[in-house]
Amino acid sequence: MKRAYNFNAGPSALPLPVLKRAQEELLNFQNTGMSVMELSHRSKEYDAVHNSAKQRLKKLMNIPDTHDILFLQGGASLQFSMVPMNLLGKDKVANYVLTGSWSEKALKEAKKIGKTHIAASSKEANYTYIPRLEDIQLSENAAYLHITSNNTIFGTQWREFPDLPVDLVADMSSDILSREINVGQFALIYAGAQKNLGPSGVTVVIIRNDLLERIPDNLPTMLDYRTHSSSNSLYNTPPTFAIYMLSLVLEWVEEQGGVKAIEARNKEKAAVVYEAIDASNGFYAPHAEKDSRSLMNVTFTLPNEELTKQFLAEAKEKGFVGLAGHRSVGGCRASIYNAVPLEACEALAGFMNDFYRRFS
Ligand code: PLP
């Protein structure tokens, strides 16, 4: 069987060894005579999976004891609501940096909960760049500052994070575990799993423990972070299979040499694709400004609609999947998350160079 060169934005490629291991273990997990999906979430076998995922993530991301790890459902989209519900409070103001459609969606939900403020934005330039740190203007009484660390649709990524006297909240759905970060700098991090962490169905939240103290008492039980923190994310039935897959992906990251090694490889992979763009004399026009380029989602347009269609059709024939850009940017997008091998990026760059030579 030939595996596709998978450049989907999410859900996206999973490491092949992880899929093979899941396949091997599918019918009989650790001699239980059951699939991992058939285990009770209160069994000791499942408990070991659950805690191994948590411990591995803690170690790989160097998460300090000041922070707890939660496995929730509802996707990153539910976090757009849970963050303000839990952290905003009556007299405070939720601050947002707008760097793309996902930050806009996060802001939209916060507006339903309380007062908000746009601390910086690159909307006027169709989100081609990440605002400079010195241009971020906090409101008075800021409850938190929300950023989107990687903008999946526009292909931009924060290089450095704001270091301001305010709790920093980050949507890291599309670049968690792709590079080393200082978790201690963040009050809360959230990420849907389906790009770098595993299949969809589980959402990781990393929350500084003292934030739990400011949560209002009138929230629905399932939307209150304290419910999940106090029950080790086992208040109700968790997405057990997704968490099992997460633990396998984390084991794979360890085998690759950890986040540092993954980061080095991600830089190498992105450089290969950006080189094909930069060597094309503008034939492939990058959407993102150079110093805001994402290592995860490479966005570019071709000279016209016809060439874009031709490019995508030929790409499909060669086994490259998921290269059509999002409608708000147009053109193409190559999502090159952790599980996409260097070889796939090299093959894509080779195809791009060849297409450019034939059609420029
Ligand atoms: N935030 C970012 C940066 C994303 O890329 C996505 C999905 O692509 C989401 C949020 C929404 O995630 P979910 O589908 O898990 O709700």
Side-chain angles (χ1 to χ4, degrees):
M1 183 212 43
K2 191 177 180 312
R3 294 266 297 161
Y5 288 123
N6 186 350
F7 296 102
N8 276 322
S12 46
L14 280 161
L16 184 57
V18 166
L19 293 172
K20 282 190 169 153
R21 168 106 177 257
Q23 185 181 41
E24 276 161 24
E25 294 182 341
L26 189 67
L27 300 183
N28 184 12
F29 178 71
Q30 292 182 356
N31 286 325
T32 52
M34 289 177 274
S35 172
V36 73
M37 331 179 210
E38 300 175 295
L39 297 176
S40 161
H41 64 292
R42 307 286 176 206
S43 65
K44 72 173 187 335
E45 290 88 357
Y46 176 71
D47 209 49
V49 170
H50 193 88
N51 290 324
S52 132
K54 202 167 156 179
Q55 284 315 313
R56 286 180 199 280
L57 191 65
K58 184 172 168 73
K59 197 150 174 234
L60 280 167
M61 289 185 70
N62 216 355
I63 299 172
D65 290 339
T66 45
H67 289 58
D68 197 6
I69 301 168
L70 312 178
F71 297 143
L72 308 183
Q73 299 189 63
S77 298
L78 185 59
Q79 294 312 307
F80 297 164
S81 305
M82 276 179 78
V83 165
M85 287 172 102
N86 283 268
L87 305 185
L88 180 46
K90 257 206 192 91
D91 305 315
K92 294 255 179 168
V93 183
N95 281 236
Y96 283 75
V97 179
L98 295 188
T99 51
S101 319
W102 296 113
S103 1
E104 281 187 27
K105 285 194 168 145
L107 171 67
K108 183 178 162 205
E109 296 309 309
K111 278 185 176 163
K112 295 179 186 175
I113 308 298
K115 293 192 207 99
T116 60
H117 165 74
I118 297 172
S121 168
S122 53
K123 189 177 173 124
E124 86 292 343
N126 198 22
Y127 297 123
T128 48
Y129 67 95
I130 300 292
R132 292 182 312 174
L133 296 184
E134 55 271 32
D135 292 338
I136 297 174
Q137 304 239 331
L138 292 179
S139 69
E140 275 187 18
N141 258 332
Y144 59 83
L145 175 68
H146 179 285
I147 64 165
T148 313
S149 58
N150 182 75
N151 298 281
T152 325
I153 293 175
F154 294 92
T156 60
Q157 187 175 26
W158 291 73
R159 290 273 175 281
E160 275 181 275
F161 299 110
D163 185 13
L164 295 166
V166 63
D167 283 328
L168 186 59
V169 173
D171 174 359
M172 288 198 187
S173 293
S174 53
D175 69 349
I176 192 166
L177 217 63
S178 68
R179 55 176 167 167
E180 288 189 305
I181 58 157
N182 172 10
V183 174
Q185 206 185 333
F186 297 87
L188 190 147
I189 292 170
Y190 63 90
Q194 62 272 18
K195 298 160 202 316
N196 275 339
L197 296 180
S200 59
V202 59
T203 307
V204 168
V205 172
I206 302 166
I207 182 170
R208 207 178 61 220
N209 296 319
D210 63 274
L211 299 185
L212 299 168
E213 286 157 27
R214 71 188 211 209
I215 297 173
D217 278 327
N218 59 354
L219 293 182
T221 307
M222 280 296 287
L223 300 181
D224 186 325
Y225 288 128
R226 290 174 301 189
T227 302
H228 305 288
S229 174
S230 63
S231 61
N232 191 23
S233 302
L234 285 159
Y235 172 76
N236 71 326
T237 319
T240 54
F241 192 71
I243 293 169
Y244 157 74
M245 290 296 288
L246 166 64
S247 78
L248 294 188
V249 169
L250 296 174
E251 216 177 312
W252 174 81
V253 172
E254 286 167 6
E255 285 160 14
Q256 304 307 299
V259 179
K260 197 185 178 93
I262 288 274
E263 176 174 0
R265 214 180 54 164
N266 284 337
K267 283 185 177 153
E268 197 182 351
K269 282 155 51 185
V272 166
V273 184
Y274 283 117
E275 262 162 44
I277 291 175
D278 292 337
S280 75
N281 293 313
F283 180 80
Y284 301 115
H287 179 76
E289 286 185 11
K290 214 162 198 163
D291 57 4
S292 296
R293 284 175 170 180
S294 166
L295 299 184
M296 296 281 101
N297 310 95
V298 182
T299 48
F300 56 95
T301 51
L302 280 82
N304 57 50
E305 206 44 44
E306 207 179 314
L307 278 171
T308 308
K309 276 196 186 134
Q310 173 87 14
F311 179 89
L312 290 171
E314 284 195 25
K316 193 173 166 200
E317 233 167 70
K318 291 191 166 3
F320 299 113
V321 174
L323 285 173
H326 190 274
R327 62 190 175 281
S328 45
V329 181
C332 301
R333 166 176 55 174
S335 297
I336 50 175
Y337 300 119
N338 289 355
V340 174
L342 175 62
E343 176 219 338
C345 297
E346 287 169 346
L348 175 64
F351 166 65
M352 287 171 72
N353 292 336
D354 175 62
F355 191 89
Y356 159 64
R357 274 193 290 274
R358 284 185 290 126
F359 290 99
S360 62

